[in-house]
Structure formats: C-alpha cells, structure tokens
Amino acid sequence: MLDRIQKLVTEMKEMTENIAHDLRSPITRIRGVAEMSLTSGKATDEHEAVAGNTVEECDRLLEMINTMLYISRAEARAEKLSPQEVNMAEVIRDACELFRPVAEDKGVSLISDVGTDLRVRGELQDLQRMIANLIDNAVNYTPPHGVVTVAGESNHKLIIIRVEDTGIGIAAHEIPRIFRRFYRCDRSRSQPGVGLGLSLVQAIVQAHRGEISVSSVPNAGSTFTVTLPSASTAS
Ligand code: ADP
C-alpha cells in the first residue's frame, strides 16, 4: 500500500513537472508575439496597453514555472550534497547590501549581524536564493519604521541563521501552511506574490540537510530560523 502511494505521489510530481516544462514554450511564444506588436510602432494606444499587459502576465507565469522547476530540482538534489564550501557570513552580508536600498525606500532598517566565518557545504546560488527570499519576505511584510535583522552564528556543529522582522506577523493557524506551494496568508493576498518563495526556501534548506522553523506574533513580527550543518561536519 505504501509503495503504491509513493508511486502515485512520484507520478503526480513528474506530471506537474512535465506540465510546467511544456507550458514554457507556448507562453514564451505568446510573449514574443505581444512584444513584437509593442515594438512594431503600428499598434494603437489600446493595443499597446493590451500587449504590455500580456508581456507582464507572461513574465509572471514564466517566473512561476521556473520557480516550480527550481524547487523540483532542489528536492531531487537532496541526497547529493555539493562538496563546495560556502561562507554564509558573506552570503548574508552581500544579500543585505543588495536589499538595503529597497528596504530604506520603504522606511525599513535592514541590519546584518554575522560572524566572520560561517562555512557550510552546498550550492552557492541556492543558498543565495534562500537568504534573498527570506529577506525579501521580511522587508515586504514589515511596515515603515520597522526593522529587519539577519543574524548568523556558529554553534557546535551547526550554523544558525535568523531572519527577524517587526512586521505584520503570521496567525498561529497559518504557520503550518506557509511552506506549502502557492499558500498565501489571508493578510497578504492583496499584495503581489505567488506563494512559492517559502516552498523554495524549504526545498533548499532540506537539500542542504538543514531545518527551518518559524515563530511569529501577529502585529509584532516573525523570526525564521535556518540551521545547516557546518562544513566541518557535512560530508
Ligand atoms: P509570497 O511572499 O510570494 O506570498 P511565500 O511562499 O514567500 O510567498 O510566503 C507565503 C506566505 O507566508 C506569504 O504570502 C505571507 O502571507 C507569509 N509570510 C512569509 N514571510 C512572512 C513574514 N516575514 N511576515 C509575515 N508573513 C510572512
């Protein structure tokens, strides 16, 4: 029975991946046609607006499909850890520098508080995406005058990373659902986003044999904690 369920789950995952993959080409073609009519110089204002809208929607769909495929690939990699060493202290500092102007534009302070050497084994690009997604959410869901702090420390054989914000928080009943694909909490559905960021973060953390947890108080803030095996222990 368990084998049959496992087989069904695997088949469903493969089917979703195939659909996502097959959708990419027609959407790219639709985008191309819309872009051509935008640049032809022959379109009326009304047609230009429709074409511009089509290009934007196609970009959104392509981004969504690419993220879904990226999640599947990260999940598939779970057993094979890259031998490459990555210093998470640098990843965190670089990400904070990148996001600081966006945060400051919104009136949110972004602080990085990391040690000098937080080495893990893994894929640099994945780990950068993981941190970027957590910071992006923290800044997005924190109103002006708030603070986002990204801290990293090494504790025995673990690297512990905390992304803490003073934002809108997450209701207790929604916490178990936020890592599901496409899930968005009631309070954030009116904002842009597709609900794939945390699924991606979780897939990357697990692919690196780590864990992620969240604690949150509505209207006070949230803390996402990621623990990863340090490079000296992961093999
Ligand atoms: P997205 O941000 O695109 O909606 P995510 O998968 O990154 O998707 O997050 C899922 C949901 O979890 C968000 O829609 C939001 O409701 C909630 N969430 C994530 N991070 C935070 C945060 N730092 N503070 C408050 N809510 C958050």
Side-chain angles (χ1 to χ4, degrees):
M1 184 69 174
L2 276 178
D3 281 351
R4 276 185 56 200
I5 294 172
Q6 183 61 48
K7 193 168 166 271
L8 270 175
V9 171
T10 311
E11 278 173 9
M12 269 174 66
K13 273 177 101 177
E14 278 171 6
M15 195 174 75
T16 315
E17 262 173 57
N18 289 341
I19 293 173
H21 208 267
D22 289 351
L23 277 174
R24 263 202 309 207
S25 308
I27 294 172
T28 308
R29 277 200 299 276
I30 296 169
R31 189 193 186 286
V33 173
E35 202 172 27
M36 253 167 54
S37 71
L38 262 184
T39 50
S40 69
K42 293 179 197 151
T44 61
D45 285 354
E46 198 183 331
H47 282 137
E48 260 185 27
V50 173
N53 209 285
T54 307
V55 170
E56 269 174 34
E57 286 300 321
C58 286
D59 282 344
R60 218 172 70 87
L61 279 170
L62 287 169
E63 168 77 23
M64 202 163 93
I65 290 170
N66 287 339
T67 308
M68 279 173 70
L69 292 170
Y70 198 97
I71 294 171
S72 298
R73 278 199 293 272
E75 283 172 346
R77 258 204 307 276
E79 298 305 315
K80 297 166 242 136
L81 209 58
S82 155
Q84 190 193 346
E85 271 192 15
V86 177
N87 186 357
M88 289 308 292
E90 276 170 26
V91 172
I92 292 170
R93 268 194 294 269
D94 290 350
C96 285
E97 255 177 56
L98 202 74
F99 277 91
R100 196 158 289 123
V102 183
E104 278 170 5
D105 273 356
K106 208 189 151 184
V108 171
S109 311
L110 176 54
I111 300 164
S112 78
D113 173 17
V114 284
T116 48
D117 204 17
L118 302 173
R119 278 172 206 281
V120 300
R121 275 185 210 287
E123 300 287 335
L124 174 65
Q125 201 202 356
D126 284 2
L127 293 162
Q128 284 171 330
R129 270 190 98 158
M130 173 193 87
I131 294 293
N133 266 292
L134 289 173
I135 298 178
D136 190 32
N137 276 348
V139 172
N140 258 337
Y141 300 115
T142 299
H145 311 299
V147 182
V148 172
T149 310
V150 190
E153 58 172 324
S154 141
N155 184 349
H156 299 296
K157 293 168 179 172
L158 294 175
I159 301 299
I160 303 163
I161 297 159
R162 284 192 191 86
V163 181
E164 188 179 352
D165 66 60
T166 58
I168 60 170
I170 304 164
H173 72 278
E174 293 193 284
I175 286 186
R177 302 180 197 161
I178 56 172
F179 294 99
R180 290 186 197 158
R181 278 171 221 200
F182 300 111
Y183 187 80
R184 310 197 69 216
C185 299
D186 286 342
R187 287 184 68 184
S188 49
R189 284 197 193 127
S190 54
Q191 291 191 35
V194 290
L196 282 176
L198 286 179
S199 311
L200 177 67
V201 168
Q202 188 181 47
I204 293 172
V205 171
Q206 289 175 350
H208 288 78
R209 298 183 194 156
E211 282 174 17
I212 181 160
S213 61
V214 53
S215 64
S216 186
V217 179
N219 301 320
S222 312
T223 303
F224 285 80
T225 306
V226 173
T227 48
L228 297 168
S230 73
S232 54
T233 55
S235 58

